[in-house]
Amino acid sequence: KAGVTQTPRYLIKTRGQQVTLSCSPISGHRSVSWYQQTPGQGLQFLFEYFSETQRNKGNFPGRFSGRQFSNSRSEMNVSTLELGDSALYLCASSNGQVNTEAFFGQGTRLTVV
Amino acid sequence: QKEVEQNSGPLSVPEGAIASLNCTYSDRGSQSFFWYRQYSGKSPELIMFIYSNGDKEDGRFTAQLNKASQYVSLLIRDSQPSDSATYLCARSYGNNRLAFGKGNQVVVIP
């Protein structure tokens, strides 16, 4: 059974650009959550999608957005990149029900220069 | 107050000893908890998941949840050098939304 797949693994972008990251969840999982991890703030929740609908949103500016497709694959987009957006972006796959496990992908390391 | 607190600094334990990690939380909402292990430069790996009061054991790992005192702990028995990592405590609010503590670094000394 394949795990959670995130692409690309590494990205270098320039300030002001935009970026799109992709996450394919475990087969059969319908929930994808996105997190940002930085040394100073740790792991912070961005948003969660279930069956193509955003169910939860964290405290991030509107430059951060996402979507989910009918096959449960999800993308997140960051527009007008800032240096502070440099981080490890992780997605977590779950069946979306209460009291069930969440499994992380390998992450995308984004560097903004 | 943060939703999930992991206040202990780096923990050094000799190989074969027990490593004990603690995590406290601030309110009595949804009470499912996860322990993840994260090696440097890697993504978090799920170790334990607990939502019932009491102990849950899986191999060398035991998670303990005490809802009355609002803490969850992780014990690693017979610690191995491969256990050297950062351990993250996370609380679930349902809907695949997790709130994480800052993590505790564990160093197992051979």
Side-chain angles (χ1 to χ4, degrees):
Chain A
K1 190 174 185 180
V4 184
T5 303
Q6 290 188 245
T7 56
R9 294 291 309 278
Y10 302 93
L11 269 177
I12 299 176
K13 290 287 188 179
T14 304
R15 273 183 303 175
Q17 288 186 313
Q18 74 165 14
V19 66
T20 300
L21 313 181
S22 178
C23 173
S24 293
I26 293 169
S27 178
H29 283 187
R30 296 163 63 191
S31 171
V32 174
S33 292
W34 288 90
Y35 296 82
Q36 181 195 67
Q37 187 175 32
T38 59
Q41 298 299 317
L43 266 157
Q44 294 184 285
F45 173 77
L46 281 156
F47 31 67
E48 185 253 357
Y49 286 87
F50 180 83
S51 293
E52 303 179 66
T53 300
Q54 187 182 88
R55 290 198 301 189
N56 290 283
K57 189 175 189 307
N59 189 26
F60 277 82
R63 300 185 297 107
F64 293 81
S65 63
R67 60 177 175 170
Q68 187 179 35
F69 302 95
S70 59
N71 62 358
S72 295
R73 189 177 71 86
S74 177
E75 291 181 345
M76 69 163 281
N77 184 278
V78 188
S79 62
T80 318
L81 283 165
E82 301 177 358
L83 295 179
D85 296 332
S86 295
L88 179 65
Y89 290 88
L90 293 155
C91 76
S93 166
S94 162
N95 65 20
Q97 305 304 312
V98 176
N99 294 337
T100 58
E101 298 95 325
F103 300 93
F104 282 90
Q106 319 96 304
T108 295
R109 173 74 62 184
L110 172 64
T111 302
V112 182
V113 298
Chain B
Q1 186 177 7
K2 284 186 65 65
E3 297 166 294
V4 178
E5 298 269 9
Q6 291 180 262
N7 289 327
S8 301
L11 178 65
S12 293
V13 296
E15 184 174 355
I18 295 175
S20 177
L21 304 169
N22 292 306
C23 170
T24 59
Y25 57 95
S26 58
D27 67 75
R28 297 181 185 274
S30 172
Q31 294 180 7
S32 301
F33 294 88
F34 299 77
W35 283 100
Y36 287 88
R37 176 175 63 196
Q38 188 173 27
Y39 294 111
S40 180
K42 302 294 185 182
S43 65
E45 172 192 8
L46 182 64
I47 299 175
M48 295 288 288
F49 166 59
I50 185 169
Y51 59 89
S52 298
N53 228 16
D55 296 358
K56 180 180 179 181
E57 186 174 317
D58 185 358
R60 296 185 295 109
F61 298 97
T62 299
Q64 300 171 320
L65 175 58
N66 185 320
K67 294 183 180 182
S69 301
Q70 296 181 235
Y71 78 82
V72 58
S73 63
L74 179 71
L75 299 178
I76 308 172
R77 292 183 300 281
D78 188 23
S79 295
Q80 302 296 309
S82 60
D83 294 326
S84 297
T86 296
Y87 290 80
L88 298 161
C89 172
R91 174 181 181 173
S92 172
Y93 285 89
N95 294 345
N96 200 13
R97 178 200 162 204
L98 301 177
F100 283 86
K102 286 294 182 69
N104 286 123
Q105 185 182 9
V106 172
V107 178
V108 180
I109 304 167

